[in-house]
Amino acid sequence: MCPTIVFLLAALRVSAAAEVPLWKLDMLHPIQVAAEGRPLTGQRIVGGQEAEPHKYGYQALVTDDESFICGGAVVSDRFILTAAHCIKNNAPLFVRVGVHHIRNDTQQLIPVERVHVHPSFHTGAKGIKNDIGIVELENPITMNDKVFPIKLPPHPVGKNKSVVLTGWGSTEDGDPLALQEMSTTIISLKKCREHYPWVDTGILCVLSSYWDVSTCLGDSGGPAAHGDYIRGIVSFCVYDCEPMYPQGLTDVYFYRDWIKEVMFPPTTTTANTTNTTAPTNITTTTTTTPAPTSSPSGSGILDLPLVYILIQLFLYWMQDFCHVYFVH
C-alpha cells in the first residue's frame, strides 16, 4: 500500500476519535445489548493477556450465583469496591474471591449483606457521575496467599502513570475463563475531554500509547492498580471497545473520604444518666468548681453571715453615737 494511502487512512482514524456521544458509551454486561437494540459485537480486550494465577489476590468477582456480573477489589475482609452501576439494581448478590480460573479454582463464595451506592451516582445527559459502590459482606473473607486486600491510595495519581487493569471481561476470543490483565496509561482530563466533554474530577481516563489495549464488557467494577494501591475502578468505554478511545475509571482517591465513612461509620455511646447518644469524636470538657475556703464544718477564716451581723451592729452603734454627739 503506498504511503499516501496509509497516511490518509491514519488521518481518517484519528478524526474518528473525536467527541463521543453519550449513547455510544457502554456500562453494560456481556449478556445485554446496546441501547439501540443491536447485539454488542467486536467485544475484546486487545493486547490483554492471562494474568499469573493469584498474583492479583485483591481481584473479586461479583455474581448473583448464576452469572458473572462485574469485577471488584478487596479492600478489607468485609468490603469490596466496585462500580455503582454493577450493584444498583442487583440483589441478592454474592462475592467470589481467590479466583483465577472461573470454573476450576477453589474459591470463597460469600453472601452480600448490603450494598452502598454513592448517593450522587447517576447517568444521563450530563454524563456518568460518581460511579462507585461498596459491597459489604455477610461473613469475613479468610485471607491467605490467594486472597489479600489492596491499599487505598494515600495521594492523587498524576497523568502519564501506568496502571494495571484486571478482569474477566470479553476478549477477541469471547468471554475468558482465566483472569486477564492489561497495562495502560493515565491521561490528562484535558485530553480526555476531547472525547468526553462532561468528564470532571472524580474520573480518571486511560489510553494506551499504541492503541493496542482496551477495557471491555464485563471489566466494569474491576481494579486499576499502580504499585500497591488501587487507583481506579473500571467505569465505562465506548460501546464497541475501540482502543483508540480513552476508557473511564472512577478515581478512588477522590472518593476516599466517602469510602472510609462507609467502612468505618462513627460509633456512638450512651450516657448513663440520659437517653441521648452522642458521637464519640465529640470532646466533652468538664469544668471543676474550686472548693470553698471554709472547712467542712462551715467555719472558715471569714464567716460571711457573722461579718454581716457585726457590720450591722457597728452601724447601729454609730448612729446612736453620732446622734448624741452632734445634738448635744
Side-chain angles (χ1 to χ4, degrees), residues 267-272 275-281:
T267 56
T268 58
T269 56
T270 305
N272 293 330
N275 293 325
T276 304
T277 59
T280 56
N281 59 351

Side-chain angles (χ1 to χ4, degrees), residues 29 32 62-64 67 69-70 83-94 112 114-115 117 135:
H29 310 309
Q32 295 180 306
V62 181
T63 176
D64 60 7
S67 59
I69 293 176
C70 273
H85 76 264
C86 292
I87 59 176
K88 186 171 178 61
N89 298 312
N90 291 283
L93 294 175
F94 298 83
V112 171
R114 65 176 59 89
V115 297
V117 174
V135 173

